[in-house]
């Protein structure tokens, strides 16, 4: 049965979850795949309203698996995903926007139709969705490109379309899996700034997977460092720099200190893996 999404719902920001209030938690999550790989072991993680949490760790430490479990795309082998305030069995797909490393746009559809897709799948008509599509494109700075096709766009612009599409259902939480890893550094810095602005305007919570110490420090309110085999959390580093942040943050002593501490935690995590 299609879930009803009214134009008003799709067109306006989500009802903000109060800062500090737990939005979703992983409780004692283990994940063992059918081939015996233990991807995650004993993961406890609370994600609170309006946080920007980065998951940072070496390749194979279970970052993508943790994100997919949060999204309900993969079931944990043990433990659970808890949405406080919701009944067991509630459908949270409308609360979640997912952005992958590849923008995965439909090449035959223009920008507006790509952003429309999640709404269409939920039974919203193109006419009803018009306002939501326009506001999501405005949020990512692509309002003038609604009629362009993916082949006409740069890598950074394609990623912006992918973000607009993830916002179209007005999610409370945006899950992003190394979204900027394939982009050049200038484009990545620009998207970092735009993402922080967008989070403030849209009022959503973000969980962001990255390999980059610098990116995690610049963006996050909290960095969660993971180690591999089995995937687990080994450090949590709060970033007590108020927003709005801008390029000047990158030149502060606090930024340098946080990069040093985060880097040390990441090296510790890699050292903890006897197979590397
Ligand atoms: P990361 O995103 O941190 O690089 P992943 O979550 O992708 O790590 O993977 C964690 C571990 O689980 C890795 O060893 C990976 O090979 C394994 N893995 C991931 N997905 C599957 C799957 N579908 N089947 C079997 N093993 C998997
Ligand atoms: Mg991954």
């Amino acid at each position: 049965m299609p879930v009803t999404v009214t134009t008003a719902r799709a067109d306006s920001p989500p009802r903000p979850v109060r800062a500090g209030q737990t939005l979703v938690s992983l409780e004692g999550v283990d994940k063992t795949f059918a081939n015996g790989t233990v991807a995650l072991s004993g993961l406890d993680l609370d994600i609170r309203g309006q946080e920007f949490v980065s998951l940072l760790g070496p390749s194979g430490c279970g970052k993508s698996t943790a994100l997919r479990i949060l999204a309900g795309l993969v079931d944990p082998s043990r433990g659970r995903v808890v949405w406080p305030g919701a009944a067991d069995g509630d459908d949270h797909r409308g609360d979640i926007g997912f952005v992958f490393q590849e923008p995965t746009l439909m090449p035959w559809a223009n920008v507006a139709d790509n952003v429309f897709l999640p709404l269409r799948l939920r039974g919203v008509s193109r006419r009803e969705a018009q306002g939501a599509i326009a506001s999501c494109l405005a949020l990512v700075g692509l309002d003038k490109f609604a009629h362009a096709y993916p082949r006409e766009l740069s890598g950074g612009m394609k990623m912006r379309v992918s973000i607009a599409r993830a916002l179209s259902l007005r999610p409370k939480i945006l899950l992003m899996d190394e979204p900027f890893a394939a982009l050049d550094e200038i484009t990545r810095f620009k998207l970092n700034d735009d993402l922080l602005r967008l989070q403030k305007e849209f009022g959503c919570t973000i969980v962001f997977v990255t390999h980059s110490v610098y990116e995690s420090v610049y963006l996050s309110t909290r960095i969660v460092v993971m180690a591999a085999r089995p995937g687990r959390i080994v450090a949590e580093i709060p970033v007590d720099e108020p927003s709005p942040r801008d390029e000047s943050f990158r030149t502060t002593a606090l930024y340098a200190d946080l990069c040093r501490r985060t880097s040390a935690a990441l090296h510790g995590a890699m050292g903890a893996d006897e197979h590397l």
Side-chain angles (χ1 to χ4, degrees):
M1 198 175 76
V3 177
T4 309
V5 181
T6 65
T7 313
R9 178 184 153 84
D11 203 7
S12 46
R15 236 175 320 119
V17 177
R18 231 178 339 113
Q21 186 182 333
T22 300
L23 175 62
V24 58
S25 301
L26 297 180
E27 288 186 1
V29 164
D30 295 353
K31 179 65 188 180
T32 304
F33 285 104
N35 64 1
T37 302
V38 182
L40 295 172
S41 173
L43 214 67
D44 289 309
L45 182 64
D46 289 339
I47 306 294
R48 294 181 281 271
Q50 290 165 54
E51 277 196 298
F52 193 121
V53 177
S54 286
L55 302 184
L56 179 73
S59 180
C61 72
K63 304 179 295 296
S64 296
T65 304
L67 215 60
R68 285 166 188 277
I69 288 176
L70 271 173
L73 297 170
V74 169
D75 287 328
S77 313
R78 213 174 58 90
R80 50 189 201 138
V81 183
V82 180
W83 293 79
D88 275 359
D90 274 6
D91 181 355
H92 293 287
R93 278 175 299 177
D95 295 330
I96 298 164
F98 208 110
V99 177
F100 300 90
Q101 182 173 344
E102 294 301 323
T104 59
L105 304 178
M106 302 180 294
W108 60 87
N110 69 21
V111 163
D113 285 336
N114 269 285
V115 174
F116 174 46
L117 179 69
L119 293 159
R120 182 159 66 92
L121 293 176
R122 294 200 157 217
V124 182
S125 74
R126 187 68 162 76
R127 197 172 49 78
E128 282 174 316
Q130 202 52 46
I133 296 169
S135 67
C136 290
L137 286 177
L139 270 170
V140 299
L142 283 184
D143 19 357
K144 297 207 170 62
F145 292 85
H147 301 293
Y149 283 84
R151 66 175 176 276
E152 301 170 294
L153 306 178
S154 67
M157 289 161 91
K158 284 185 198 151
M159 184 46 72
R160 288 172 190 276
V161 178
S162 175
I163 294 170
R165 182 181 53 192
L167 295 175
S168 68
L169 288 176
R170 217 185 66 141
K172 291 194 184 110
I173 185 164
L174 195 56
L175 305 177
M176 308 182 81
D177 196 352
E178 300 195 42
F180 308 146
L183 303 175
D184 64 81
E185 193 165 81
I186 301 284
T187 306
R188 187 199 281 225
F189 279 13
K190 177 82 175 79
L191 277 162
N192 283 170
D193 283 333
D194 286 353
L195 185 59
L196 289 178
R197 178 190 48 77
L198 181 153
Q199 183 189 23
K200 213 167 170 63
E201 276 175 36
F202 198 74
C204 64
T205 301
I206 297 180
V207 184
F208 186 94
V209 169
T210 179
H211 269 120
S212 165
V213 167
Y214 306 107
E215 189 169 57
S216 70
V217 171
Y218 189 68
L219 292 175
S220 311
T221 53
R222 183 160 54 111
I223 302 166
V224 173
V225 182
M226 295 175 65
R229 280 173 279 268
R232 62 201 187 279
I233 294 171
V234 291
E236 293 207 18
I237 300 170
V239 179
D240 291 321
E241 169 73 8
S243 62
R245 295 175 188 171
D246 60 29
E247 285 298 319
S248 62
F249 177 43
R250 294 189 203 274
T251 62
T252 62
L254 176 64
Y255 178 80
D257 180 51
L258 283 162
C259 288
R260 248 192 319 271
R261 283 174 48 207
T262 306
S263 197
L266 182 60
H267 278 100
M270 292 167 89
D273 184 343
E274 60 198 79
H275 300 286
L276 280 178

